[in-house]
Amino acid sequence: DDRFFTLTVSDIPQGVCDKVVDVNWQMPAAILLDGVAVDDNTVCGEGNNEMLFAFANDLKSGAVAGGDTAQPERPNTDANGDCLAGYVGENCDIRDTTCQGHGVFESLDDFAVCLCDPGFGGNNCEVTCPNKNYPFEGFDLSTGIPNGSCYSCSATTYLTGEACHTCPNRFLVSEGSISLCVSCSLPGGIPTSDVECAKCDDSGTPRFMSTDGDCVRCSDSAIVLVTAAECAKCDDSSTPRFMDTYGRCYPCSDPSGWIVTAEECAKCDDSSTPRYMNGGSCYKCPTRLSSSVLNTQEKCESCHGTWNAETKKCS
């Protein structure tokens, strides 16, 4: 082979042989011990060993020696020498573009990848996700390699594209070039569009849009400035809210009294923290007031006792 020359050294003691194996010398294109390519599993003999060193003619490392004695480089292999998912060929150097029939092979920017169908993951769509689980459709931003993991619809968040809408009770949040698929149950206000936030309307944890563009859970403790229609999305939930005359939407559990209409205050009647009107303000029951300002309405006749959920009275 006019690209390489070889040096064969005989009668190498075991200690020297071990040193050559351990040092992982990069200059030779190939090192063979007694005709077998050296790797991490090589064991030198107790007697004298014969080693062949194949060098590229320009003495640069990284070339692959040919001939019967040198072994071809096998990229994209696992610890057992088998091709990684997504690669085929004798030397695992050919990208498999079939995507196992569960996706489309496309070139995106500098990366050629399989875009897997919902329900499949892996570098070549070879992973079948369990029922109601969907693959990560984004990429490792440092390498461009698909993650290939299967994510449950019940996970809090995951990076995704259209698969977000195949999972119930989720909405899409965009952060720059990245899209997050977020569970409706995730706490806090999350910036998104009103269309995406509305996908939680029929979930077990409905959300509403603030005038600042945040999608907020009905059960959150935040006091949020909203429209009446958005605050009303919580009316039929297990955590209803009420609205004051300034357009602020409060959880029924809020400890303070606020100026609201009797109709808004009554939205908390069947909640775990009912409220009552005292004058023009809505208070949480039971609220301990001085005897001179005791509320006289039936809902909370005496606010010095314990709220009775059945009679809707403080006793």
Side-chain angles (χ1 to χ4, degrees):
D1 190 327
D2 59 6
R3 296 173 301 161
F4 297 92
F5 65 89
T6 63
L7 299 177
T8 301
V9 184
S10 302
D11 301 326
I12 299 176
Q14 182 180 14
V16 177
C17 178
D18 288 339
K19 184 68 173 179
V20 173
V21 173
D22 292 341
V23 78
N24 191 24
W25 188 15
Q26 297 298 308
M27 178 70 77
I31 303 176
L32 282 73
L33 171 63
D34 296 329
V36 180
V38 168
D39 58 25
D40 292 340
N41 298 317
T42 296
V43 178
C44 296
E46 294 181 1
N48 293 326
N49 301 274
E50 181 177 278
M51 305 189 82
L52 179 146
F53 302 88
F55 294 90
N57 279 336
D58 57 6
L59 290 179
K60 292 181 179 179
S61 62
V64 179
D68 296 333
T69 56
Q71 300 297 312
E73 184 180 359
R74 286 174 54 82
N76 309 310
T77 56
D78 59 21
N80 297 320
D82 297 325
C83 294
L84 294 175
Y87 292 91
V88 295
E90 182 179 355
N91 297 320
C92 304
D93 55 352
I94 302 173
R95 187 68 166 89
D96 185 353
T97 60
T98 65
C99 303
Q100 299 293 309
H102 302 304
V104 179
F105 188 79
E106 290 188 8
S107 294
L108 301 176
D109 298 325
D110 296 329
F111 309 110
V113 296
C114 279
L115 301 180
C116 301
D117 297 331
F120 297 90
N123 289 338
N124 201 42
C125 307
E126 76 283 357
V127 179
T128 302
C129 298
N131 188 33
K132 292 187 178 180
N133 286 21
Y134 294 87
F136 179 107
E137 291 189 346
F139 303 96
D140 183 324
L141 298 182
S142 63
T143 64
I145 299 174
N147 178 285
S149 297
C150 296
Y151 282 74
S152 169
C153 289
S154 61
T156 305
T157 59
Y158 52 82
L159 291 173
T160 186
E162 291 303 316
C164 184
H165 305 307
T166 60
C167 289
N169 305 331
R170 304 190 76 88
F171 62 101
L172 203 61
V173 179
S174 295
E175 294 187 356
S177 61
I178 300 175
S179 293
L180 295 172
C181 189
V182 180
S183 169
C184 291
S185 61
L186 190 69
I190 302 172
T192 189
S193 68
D194 53 353
V195 173
E196 289 298 324
C197 191
K199 290 176 179 173
C200 297
D201 287 357
D202 298 325
S203 73
T205 51
R207 306 179 77 98
F208 60 96
M209 282 293 287
S210 74
T211 55
D212 293 330
D214 288 338
C215 186
V216 185
R217 287 190 314 175
C218 290
S219 57
D220 285 336
S221 60
I223 301 171
V224 187
L225 191 64
V226 300
T227 64
E230 288 298 316
C231 192
K233 287 183 176 181
C234 301
D235 288 357
D236 297 327
S237 73
S238 59
T239 52
R241 301 176 75 97
F242 64 98
M243 195 167 181
D244 71 5
T245 55
Y246 299 101
R248 292 173 295 200
C249 189
Y250 300 85
C252 290
S253 58
D254 191 273
S256 302
W258 299 102
I259 299 175
V260 303
T261 64
E263 181 182 9
E264 286 296 317
C265 191
K267 289 182 177 179
C268 298
D269 284 1
D270 297 324
S271 74
S272 60
T273 52
R275 304 180 73 90
Y276 69 97
M277 289 294 291
N278 184 27
S281 296
C282 181
Y283 294 90
K284 186 178 74 168
C285 291
T287 302
R288 298 186 182 279
L289 303 174
S290 64
S291 57
S292 60
V293 290
L294 278 179
N295 170 62
T296 57
Q297 293 186 20
E298 179 182 345
K299 189 191 303 183
C300 220
E301 185 172 353
S302 170
C303 289
H304 288 279
T306 302
W307 175 257
N308 187 312
E310 293 183 359
T311 63
K312 295 184 181 179
K313 293 183 178 181
C314 296
S315 57

